[in-house]
Amino acid sequence: MKLSNALGPLDGIWFNITTALPPTLKAVLRNPTLLLSPSKISQVYMSNLWMVYADGIDGNAKSDKETLITPHAHGVVLDLGAGHGHTVRYLNRERVTKYIALEPNSLMHPHIRAQANNAGYHEADGTLVILSHGAQETQAILSALALALPIELQNAPQPIDTIVSALTLCTVPDPERTVMNMVRDILKPGGQFLMYEHVLSTRPDVAWWQHFWAPLWALGFDGCRMDRASDILLRDLKLKNENGEVSAWQEASMYKEEGTEEQQFFLHAVGRFTKL
Ligand SMILES: C[S@@+](CC[C@H](N)C(=O)[O-])C[C@H]1O[C@@H](n2cnc3c(N)ncnc32)[C@H](O)[C@@H]1O
């Protein structure tokens, strides 16, 4: 990789910090009690950053999301790290009965609500549920779902038909365990896991630079790791059953963007996995 391209993330890191830090500092000056809660400050920072990025990133992903989400998402959909709720734009209202947005940053919730309402999902009739849990909090999510789902699904061992993860697995803590628990405990057998994520490059030179920049990038972008192989993690996911450890999937398909030299740090993998 050319040195000029390898240094590319520096620009992005500088842009992120200079964009999101000033409004975050202003918020702290307005409300100094935020200093008692670093995680709240980090949420303010991310919400300022996502205001700038959300629409553009979604625009770039539009054709992949239309191929991945629109024809396949069905039933009760759980959107991991819903952000501003852009996933809802791709849901077919006839096929998706309920949209559950999992978003720990409550500053994003008004955006989710607005997009979901626009697409015909409402909290008042139970077709929209917004949860503040992190994806790693499987048991808390299940408890919240038990209250939010229709009576016939409340005792279903795994209540979700479709999990969507768009640009979120890069940020969740302990991704192996988080994904395993999600798929094992929350996703129905035959349900689908739809993934649109930037991933670790298969090019050793690019991967080296991704590992190099990852800690600094994560500092300026809400913990996002640019060197996470979420595609491999999902593809190789195994669950235990009476035959021992077996692939979690009955069907899996995935493709990866090619991209130019300059785009190598954030190439996306697009995958659809059907649970055994
Ligand atoms: C890069 S944004 C993507 C938003 C949205 N999925 C999209 O594609 O427009 C990542 C989102 O994950 C959320 N997030 C961070 N940590 C999380 C966690 N532990 N569990 C679930 N979501 C998390 C962030 O608050 C943020 O909204």
Side-chain angles (χ1 to χ4, degrees), residues 245-257:
E245 283 219 316
V246 296
S247 169
W249 314 118
Q250 52 172 284
E251 223 181 296
S253 63
M254 187 157 62
Y255 61 88
K256 268 165 120 173
E257 286 173 351

Side-chain angles (χ1 to χ4, degrees), residues 53-254:
Y53 273 112
D55 284 337
I57 287 184
D58 180 66
N60 290 338
K62 187 167 185 287
S63 69
D64 283 325
K65 287 182 174 178
E66 281 171 351
T67 311
L68 176 72
I69 300 174
T70 311
H72 301 299
H74 67 279
V76 181
V77 170
L78 179 68
D79 189 11
L80 299 187
H84 284 183
H86 283 75
T87 295
V88 85
R89 297 180 177 183
Y90 302 92
L91 301 181
N92 177 330
R93 187 65 187 82
E94 304 290 303
R95 286 164 49 83
V96 175
T97 51
K98 195 185 259 290
Y99 173 60
I100 300 172
L102 191 71
E103 178 46 67
N105 189 340
S106 57
L107 297 170
M108 311 247 188
H109 292 185
H111 299 275
I112 297 174
R113 194 166 286 117
Q115 298 238 35
N117 290 170
N118 214 17
Y121 297 92
H122 302 274
E123 283 155 308
D125 63 11
T127 55
L128 166 67
V129 178
I130 303 177
L131 300 179
S132 300
H133 304 290
Q136 68 281 11
E137 299 173 83
T138 321
Q139 288 312 312
I141 295 168
L142 278 169
S143 305
L145 288 177
L147 298 175
L149 291 174
I151 197 90
E152 67 276 12
L153 285 177
Q154 283 181 5
N155 293 320
Q158 296 113 338
I160 297 295
D161 297 291
T162 310
I163 295 177
V164 178
S165 180
L167 306 173
T168 295
L169 291 183
C170 51
T171 304
V172 299
D174 198 350
E176 284 83 6
R177 182 193 289 263
T178 295
V179 169
M180 206 258 279
N181 289 347
M182 277 265 151
V183 173
R184 186 189 59 204
D185 299 338
I186 292 190
L187 188 63
K188 268 184 198 162
Q192 311 218 19
F193 196 115
L194 307 178
M195 173 202 84
Y196 172 81
E197 298 284 345
H198 60 79
V199 295
L200 182 67
S201 177
T202 47
R203 276 179 48 172
D205 57 337
V206 178
W208 190 91
W209 282 105
Q210 285 177 308
H211 290 308
F212 177 82
W213 289 119
L216 197 56
W217 182 266
L219 264 185
F221 209 123
D222 198 37
C224 160
R225 294 288 309 200
M226 63 159 75
D227 61 348
R228 202 168 265 183
S230 306
D231 50 343
I232 310 292
L233 188 168
L234 268 169
R235 187 199 65 192
D236 294 348
L237 186 69
K238 295 205 168 28
L239 295 179
K240 284 201 184 103
N241 72 8
E242 63 279 7
N243 301 319
E245 283 219 316
V246 296
S247 169
W249 314 118
Q250 52 172 284
E251 223 181 296
S253 63
M254 187 157 62

Side-chain angles (χ1 to χ4, degrees), residues 40-62:
K40 206 69 207 149
I41 295 180
S42 152
Q43 292 192 340
V44 172
Y45 176 94
M46 180 58 184
S47 74
N48 283 314
L49 199 56
W50 203 239
M51 293 284 250
V52 177
Y53 273 112
D55 284 337
I57 287 184
D58 180 66
N60 290 338
K62 187 167 185 287

